[in-house]
Amino acid sequence: MTALFQQLPSVDKILKTEQGEQLIQTFGHTAVVNCCRHLLCLAREEIKSSQTIPHFFSSFDNTITEIQKHLTNQQQVQIQSVHNLTGTVLHTNLGRALWSEAAQQAAVTAMSQNVALEYDLDVGKRSHRDNYISELIHQLTGAEAACIVNNNAAAVLLILSTFAQGKEVIISRGELIEIGGAFRIPDIMAQAGCKLVEVGTTNRTHLKDYRNAINENTAFLMKVHTSNYQICGFTSEVSEQELTELGKEFNIPVITDLGSGALTDLSQYNLPKEPTVQENLAQGVDLISFSGDKLLGGPQAGIIVGKKELIQQLQSHPLKRVLRCDKVILAGLEATLRLYLQPEKLAEKLTSLHLLTQPIEQLTQQAEQLKATLETLLKDDFSLQIESSSAQIGSGSQPMAKIPSIAVTISGKNNGKLTALLARFKSLSTPVIGRVENNKIWLDLRSLANIEKLLTTLKELSA
């Protein structure tokens, strides 16, 4: 064992070689030294446990190669791009909405240059960073004003903290939602310091239930859009219109957590109908919160729209500064909203809507390209078919609705082969993420961003 330890080079010896000096020039002295020490530590542990020297110290060339590999990997961002073939277009675990080209360009400008974030160019004085978005929201929805925070949960928290601390908020028991990551409406209410007052039952709530719960300490009547589940059968719920009329009677504001954030009628694209922000405003709702990275198709953000007087109070609350968005998000959001000013071009330019509305014929052509490529690369080990599939919007939007799609399915002689293939897909430079159903791998084309990039990536399977 002593002889093996003696074969290990010193850090100094590695650094003083020509290759070591080149590594220092590329990565810096500190990084190279730390890497050498780390590898030597690993080698000593292996010698102790197995009485063998690791392969990366079996020759000097192997050592240099290993150091370079470690230092190169150290520079790689771990949030890496993937090919989404799950069939879920707005996949929360894969980053939800893809930014449009316009949003990407606006974000790059904000990253690389100084921008008039809180500066009014016309008057030469400080302004508010939400002004551009607020003006756009007014144009698109008719809302008096808007407030932007970093996600919809933050939007709900800000509303409740500003107006309902120490007070009661009335909500239907059937709308006490939980979304991914264990976000629950009751927990947000508790964090905001207000008291939850449940009314009705899980499946049926009536206007009289709200009326009977109102007292002098009621801050809000609240509606929550149950976008990620449905209650069917013997059901009843109170509409926003009915609730706002009741609110006016008692001078109590009505707020809605709309969640998904549709700004256009999706049924015109043969997609499932979702309540829009404009419809809620027309029904008299005082404050509406929704997400920027779901059906809206932009970056992660929480958008609150409604009465100007209420929005101004939100902007003045100390939490607003804690929850505000940076220049990159605001630039991407503004560029996304500007696409809605040209509704006839929206399905062409808004990436998420473009993916959701691709015709089956186009998806079939892509599937044929994908199948032909995979047949060449996988040889006879697997059986490939083009099959009809059911995609979904994702991110809790219309979970029961299925969107017609096309997939390439892969079946193997046994589950072990499929498991090994899934691992190979995930080890590619841009991992390929599909889904497994009925002992098949399904590569659903509805959620794929770029077929050409996918085909290029798959060529790595032949290595």
Side-chain angles (χ1 to χ4, degrees), residues 332-353:
L333 180 58
E334 181 189 345
T336 300
L337 289 170
R338 290 195 179 280
L339 297 178
Y340 283 84
L341 296 173
Q342 300 174 351
E344 293 83 8
K345 295 288 185 179
L346 193 60
E348 175 186 339
K349 295 184 177 181
L350 189 66
T351 307
S352 55
L353 188 57

Side-chain angles (χ1 to χ4, degrees), residues 26 56 70 77 90 93 99 107 125 182 196 203 231 258 265 308 379:
T26 303
F56 49 83
H70 269 257
V77 176
L90 302 177
N93 303 134
W99 291 25
K125 292 182 179 180
L196 164 66
N203 60 318
I231 300 175
L258 199 53
D265 181 4
K308 188 173 183 178
K379 308 301 181 183

Side-chain angles (χ1 to χ4, degrees), residues 72-337:
T72 301
N73 289 341
Q74 195 178 73
Q75 303 301 310
Q76 298 298 317
V77 176
Q78 293 303 299
I79 299 179
Q80 64 183 114
S81 60
V82 300
H83 294 293
N84 178 10
L85 288 129
T86 63
T88 301
V89 176
L90 302 177
H91 200 302
T92 297
N93 303 134
L94 301 182
R96 289 188 179 168
L98 300 180
W99 291 25
S100 67
E101 185 176 338
Q104 293 175 46
Q105 292 175 352
V108 169
T109 298
M111 290 180 208
S112 58
Q113 301 177 34
N114 290 118
V115 293
L117 178 64
E118 296 181 352
Y119 186 80
D120 190 321
L121 292 169
D122 292 329
V123 298
K125 292 182 179 180
R126 181 173 181 168
S127 63
H128 197 284
R129 65 175 58 201
D130 289 355
N131 281 356
Y132 300 119
I133 306 296
S134 190
E135 291 169 7
L136 268 172
I137 290 289
H138 174 69
Q139 281 184 263
L140 293 168
T141 70
E144 293 180 10
C147 173
I148 315 302
V149 290
N150 57 20
N151 62 29
N152 189 49
V156 175
L157 177 64
L158 179 60
I159 292 172
L160 296 176
S161 298
T162 303
F163 299 108
Q165 196 166 47
K167 297 183 178 181
E168 298 180 355
V169 177
I170 302 173
I171 183 172
S172 168
R173 182 171 285 113
E175 296 174 6
L176 294 176
I177 66 167
E178 176 180 323
I179 64 173
F183 164 79
R184 292 177 170 182
I185 286 291
D187 295 340
I188 293 295
M189 288 189 174
Q191 190 65 40
C194 58
K195 180 182 178 181
L196 164 66
V197 177
E198 300 177 35
V199 296
T201 62
T202 302
N203 60 318
R204 291 178 68 81
T205 302
H206 306 283
L207 189 63
K208 65 181 180 182
D209 296 321
Y210 291 93
R211 180 184 294 275
N212 293 338
I214 292 173
N215 60 44
E216 66 280 356
N217 201 35
T218 301
F220 286 128
L221 304 178
M222 185 173 184
K223 283 283 292 180
V224 178
H225 176 43
T226 56
S227 59
N228 64 346
Y229 66 92
Q230 291 180 356
I231 300 175
C232 303
F234 186 56
T235 63
S236 176
E237 66 173 308
V238 179
S239 69
E240 281 84 357
Q241 182 76 52
E242 294 174 290
L243 210 55
T244 55
E245 289 174 0
L246 180 64
K248 289 175 183 175
E249 181 181 337
F250 288 89
N251 196 29
I252 297 173
V254 174
I255 61 174
T256 296
D257 173 1
L258 199 53
S260 298
L263 286 186
T264 189
D265 181 4
L266 295 178
S267 63
Q268 66 182 302
Y269 303 105
N270 295 319
L271 293 171
K273 171 72 176 175
E274 274 280 312
T276 66
V277 175
Q278 294 92 322
E279 289 168 351
N280 267 234
L281 287 168
Q283 290 168 326
V285 178
D286 296 281
L287 287 174
I288 305 165
S289 71
F290 53 96
S291 297
D293 58 342
K294 293 184 180 180
L295 292 178
L296 184 64
Q300 178 180 298
I303 305 169
I304 308 169
V305 303
K307 302 289 175 57
K308 188 173 183 178
E309 178 187 354
L310 300 178
I311 294 293
Q312 286 175 339
Q313 292 182 64
L314 293 173
Q315 298 286 20
S316 301
H317 194 280
L319 262 184
K320 173 59 204 303
R321 185 173 182 86
V322 176
L323 302 173
R324 71 182 184 179
C325 295
D326 75 343
K327 61 178 182 177
V328 176
I329 295 298
L330 290 173
L333 180 58
E334 181 189 345
T336 300
L337 289 170

